[in-house]
Amino acid sequence: MFGRLTWAAIPFDQPVVMIASGTVGFVIFCVLALVTVKGWWPYLWREWITSVDHKRIGVMYIGLALLMLVRGFSDAMLMRSQLALAAGHAQGYLPPEHYDQIFSAHGTIMIFFVAMPFVIGLMNFVLPLQLGVRDVAFPVLNSVGFWLSAAGVLLVNVSLVVGEFSRAGWLAYPPLSEIAYSPGVGVDYYLWSLQIAGLGTLLSGINLTTTILKLRAPGMGYRQMPIFCWTALASNLLIVAAFPILTATFAMLLLDRYCGFHFFTNDLGGNPMMYVNLIWCWGHPEVYILILPAFGVFSEVVATFSGKPLFGRRSMVMATMVICVLSFLVWLHHFFTMGAGADVNAFFGVMTMLIAVPTGVKVFNWLFTLYGGRIRFTVPVYWAIGFMVTFVIGGMTGVLMAIPPADFVLHNSLFLIAHFHNVIIGGVVFGVMAGITYWFPKAFGFTLNERLGKSVFWCWFIGFYLAFMPLYVLGLMGATRRMQHYSNMHWQPLMLVALAGAILILLGIALTGVQLAVSIRRRELNRDATGDPWNGRTLEWSTPSPPPAWNFSQLPPVGRADAFWAMKQQRGTAQDRKKRTYETIHIPRNNPTGFFLAFFAVLLGFSLIWRIWWGAGLGLLGLLVVCLMQAWRTDGEIEVPAEKVAAYERLHGLKESVV
């Protein structure tokens, strides 16, 4: 009746796992008890769970990413501490099979469930406000995308308690991920959680692409769009183009595992290298899916806090779109050792070096924007400067690895691990932290504590260099990735330095929680009454903080880039104060479709993982019923009367004016 699910699936014999899962379970129980005792369920259901407001969905994405950052970083601490101890005759405290699950889960969680929700959350929150519109193109689809991502998160974490996670690495290369070498449920957890979350990401990409292309303020052409909108457009175009490749690749691997197909085995004409090619056809664009929105954040931060327009705006847009195209022409540099031949390797090596050119253009644009400006050294500027230093180092090591002979030596070493984290932490994480700090007052109406924010930055910045610079050296010394133990005692001092760096980053994560708590407690001291605490340049700063559900009482006409900056220069004339007329606004009604789809998606995924076929049937039926109910809904909008809009404007002050 329950397929392969038995009591043996719960790892009672592994104390580390049981203590971790017990702690997580206790925390969840306490949270649920608190919400129940306080009577917060109606509020949460009405304002968050069923909300289709892009701002709330963006905040939920970021909250989910922060939660999973703690989960994923706990795996990183386990790996760093294991490698600091497991030298020579000492074996450490993690058995090999558990260590394999940890590094597989760490990579999966950090890319799919931390980095992706971070950047999609920022884009969800900011894009409609910067575009001067009231919501995304498909509000219900936006909610569905988020809840499917949350369903993937739940399945990944269930594997901590029931069964096991994949031991095949974060990209699950065959033949290790095939049924012959991974007969358990670990790879199935990996595949189904990412299929469900990947569908949510694809829906979000379609939604945000449509929003940028079809919904913009009156007069806002492509030349007037903020740079963040351009980088978000490039990122979402890549999502739409690349994620179907991932979905199809995982579908073929699932057919191998469940139905005895041979797409990626040597039997009956299959080829494991076809999987590697396909996964990196998605995988390298994925790097730019993550980093391009961060580039947009830094562009907004640098322009705002230097008090001048972004230098070389047109070249910045061109560089963004060139990266978007070239990102599909470099995937093979991840496996120069495949044996494709010198000509193929040379082509992809040259393309990899070429894609560094538009990235270099961006760095020089940011530097020239800062040059001659009156820079305010706020926390977002700290993250931006730290990014420029760190990301350039990561880029140089990437160009080094684009040389096939060098890559033959380094491709499976800790040098590669250091390079990858150099780009992702120095680029994506620093960008997300800058973006959260920058737009936090717009979301919640008060700024974050500056002193604690700078402490968080220094912990991340110094901790990163301590944690990953030693890995470059260890890679050159011959230390390989994915190792659970090493016999060369000369490596241990550098492993200890790397552990110290990880502990410092952990302190930075803890201080982020302290910063949030202190900022919330002292929010009246840092209240943003103007809606424009940074003297911003783009349209989101023309709205109150936080914005109303309809964003703009009247859609602002736009005639140039940095539209809100132009508004502020023209303010103060009699024309700006002329009487306005307000109209009834239609906003989307709350909708539980996304939540119910996620519920049945989890039931379907869990049942397929454990071969509980009746449960899979119920899950599939539930998904079909919810979709049909949504298709027949006719009450999709509510009206906000003109009188209510006018009263809101009188209460919060009128900041929008004609450009």
Side-chain angles (χ1 to χ4, degrees):
M1 181 177 181
F2 293 104
R4 297 196 293 175
L5 182 61
T6 65
W7 284 109
I10 301 177
F12 292 110
D13 59 332
Q14 299 184 30
V16 173
V17 175
M18 294 308 297
I19 291 171
S21 57
T23 303
V24 171
F26 178 73
V27 170
I28 292 174
F29 173 79
C30 290
V31 170
L32 294 177
L34 178 65
V35 171
T36 303
V37 170
K38 293 287 187 179
W40 290 341
W41 285 115
Y43 168 80
L44 290 174
W45 179 260
R46 182 181 65 254
E47 298 294 332
W48 293 95
I49 295 174
T50 63
S51 176
V52 295
D53 185 340
H54 72 95
K55 300 179 290 297
R56 293 188 181 272
I57 290 174
V59 170
M60 288 193 289
Y61 264 117
I62 292 171
L64 182 69
L66 287 170
L67 185 66
M68 293 306 291
L69 175 64
V70 176
R71 166 71 175 86
F73 197 80
S74 64
D75 289 334
M77 289 301 302
L78 289 172
M79 288 188 289
R80 288 291 108 219
S81 55
Q82 166 69 18
L83 290 177
L85 297 173
H89 296 294
Q91 297 298 313
Y93 63 97
L94 290 174
E97 64 277 5
H98 190 193
Y99 185 83
D100 292 348
Q101 291 183 54
I102 287 172
F103 72 67
S104 300
H106 172 73
T108 303
I109 288 169
M110 288 300 196
I111 294 298
F112 290 98
F113 301 123
V114 176
M116 285 301 297
F118 264 143
V119 298
I120 293 177
L122 282 178
M123 291 189 292
N124 250 294
F125 182 85
V126 176
L127 281 179
L129 293 170
Q130 283 200 341
L131 293 170
V133 297
R134 294 194 171 110
D135 211 320
V136 294
F138 311 112
V140 176
L141 200 67
N142 203 20
S143 172
V144 171
F146 166 74
W147 284 108
L148 288 179
S149 297
V153 165
L154 182 58
L155 275 180
V156 162
N157 285 288
V158 166
S159 70
L160 181 68
V161 185
V162 184
E164 61 182 7
F165 194 68
S166 169
R167 301 191 186 105
W170 78 278
L171 286 179
Y173 283 176
L176 186 57
S177 57
E178 293 283 358
I179 198 74
Y181 296 97
S182 296
V185 296
V187 174
D188 299 327
Y189 266 114
Y190 170 89
L191 291 171
W192 286 114
S193 62
L194 295 191
Q195 284 289 58
I196 293 168
L199 177 59
T201 300
L202 179 59
L203 295 178
S204 295
I206 294 169
N207 200 353
L208 294 174
T209 301
T210 308
T211 301
I212 297 169
L213 295 179
K214 305 299 290 185
L215 299 180
R216 296 190 298 276
M220 182 183 283
Y222 293 125
R223 288 184 297 176
Q224 290 79 36
M225 282 202 318
I227 292 296
F228 182 76
C229 295
W230 273 106
T231 58
L233 174 61
S235 176
N236 285 287
L237 287 172
L238 289 174
I239 288 175
V240 172
F243 264 80
I245 301 174
L246 181 72
T247 301
T249 306
F250 283 167
M252 286 186 277
L253 184 55
L254 283 166
L255 287 171
D256 277 10
R257 290 183 59 83
Y258 280 74
C259 302
F261 282 43
H262 294 277
F263 287 110
F264 306 127
T265 66
N266 287 327
D267 300 330
L268 301 178
N271 189 346
M273 286 312 303
M274 183 169 73
Y275 178 94
V276 178
N277 274 277
L278 286 171
I279 204 73
W280 282 114
C281 278
W282 161 83
H284 203 83
E286 166 70 5
V287 174
Y288 294 100
I289 288 169
L290 298 176
I291 200 65
L292 283 170
F295 287 169
V297 171
F298 293 124
S299 298
E300 302 291 342
V301 165
V302 166
T304 297
F305 292 105
S306 64
K308 54 187 287 196
L310 187 69
F311 179 89
R313 174 187 168 83
R314 185 176 298 177
S315 65
M316 184 70 83
V317 171
M318 291 176 64
T320 298
M321 301 317 291
V322 167
I323 290 172
C324 183
V325 173
L326 290 182
S327 66
F328 275 102
L329 301 176
V330 296
W331 81 85
L332 195 131
H333 70 211
H334 290 273
F335 44 94
F336 281 138
T337 55
M338 177 179 70
D343 291 342
V344 173
N345 284 357
F347 172 80
F348 283 94
V350 170
M351 287 295 104
T352 304
M353 296 177 196
L354 190 61
I355 204 171
V357 175
T359 306
V361 169
K362 288 176 174 289
V363 173
F364 281 110
N365 283 354
W366 294 319
L367 290 173
F368 285 132
T369 304
L370 291 170
Y371 179 75
R374 301 185 65 180
I375 305 171
R376 291 172 285 155
F377 286 97
T378 59
V379 173
V381 174
Y382 274 57
W383 288 109
I385 295 174
F387 151 78
M388 282 187 267
V389 174
T390 307
F391 191 78
V392 166
I393 295 172
M396 289 190 297
T397 59
V399 172
L400 171 63
M401 297 189 70
I403 303 169
D407 188 70
F408 269 65
V409 177
L410 299 171
H411 79 283
N412 201 38
S413 73
L414 290 181
F415 190 97
L416 173 61
I417 299 299
H419 158 71
F420 184 76
H421 286 81
N422 205 156
V423 173
I424 296 299
I425 293 179
V428 180
V429 175
F430 283 21
V432 166
M433 297 301 285
I436 290 173
T437 309
Y438 182 59
W439 283 302
F440 188 91
K442 180 54 57 181
F444 296 103
F446 58 94
T447 56
L448 288 169
N449 185 281
E450 277 280 311
R451 179 177 296 181
L452 283 169
K454 291 174 181 176
S455 300
V456 171
F457 165 76
W458 285 115
C459 285
W460 271 96
F461 186 74
I462 298 172
F464 165 78
Y465 280 91
L466 285 177
F468 292 101
M469 292 302 118
L471 300 193
Y472 281 122
V473 179
L474 285 164
L476 293 171
M477 293 169 67
T480 59
R481 61 197 299 198
R482 306 187 184 98
M483 63 180 182
Q484 175 257 354
H485 169 269
Y486 51 94
S487 57
N488 190 336
M489 296 298 294
H490 293 96
W491 295 353
Q492 190 172 34
L494 289 172
M495 292 291 188
L496 291 169
V497 174
L499 174 61
I503 292 172
L504 197 54
I505 294 175
L506 179 63
L507 177 61
I509 295 173
L511 283 176
T512 301
V514 174
Q515 181 192 22
L516 285 170
V518 170
S519 301
I520 293 169
R521 191 176 63 193
R522 300 179 181 175
R523 59 187 178 276
E524 294 304 325
L525 298 176
N526 298 311
R527 180 70 63 185
D528 171 28
T530 67
D532 184 22
W534 310 123
N535 194 20
R537 309 183 70 86
T538 44
L539 286 175
E540 73 269 30
W541 304 112
S542 70
T543 64
S545 297
W550 53 87
N551 289 349
F552 297 92
S553 302
Q554 290 184 330
L555 298 184
V558 172
R560 52 159 289 181
D562 292 344
F564 183 50
W565 186 262
M567 291 180 188
K568 291 189 287 189
Q569 306 312 306
Q570 297 174 6
R571 182 163 301 149
T573 66
Q575 182 183 6
D576 295 330
R577 305 300 181 189
K578 67 181 180 180
K579 182 176 177 61
R580 286 194 171 195
T581 58
Y582 297 96
E583 298 178 349
T584 297
I585 295 174
H586 294 83
I587 59 175
R589 187 184 298 275
N590 282 11
N591 194 310
T593 297
F595 179 79
F596 289 131
L597 284 177
F599 174 83
F600 287 112
V602 170
L603 175 60
L604 175 64
F606 186 82
S607 299
L608 288 171
I609 288 164
W610 289 99
R611 277 63 165 183
I612 306 172
W613 304 118
W614 61 267
L618 281 179
L620 192 61
L621 178 63
L623 290 171
L624 179 62
V625 169
V626 173
C627 288
L628 290 173
M629 291 177 65
Q630 172 59 28
W632 263 267
R633 282 180 68 103
T634 58
D635 57 341
E637 293 183 338
I638 58 175
E639 290 186 353
V640 181
E643 298 78 15
K644 182 176 179 180
V645 177
Y648 185 90
E649 285 295 318
R650 286 194 298 271
L651 179 63
H652 291 86
L654 182 64
K655 288 190 289 299
E656 303 115 333
S657 67
V658 178
V659 179

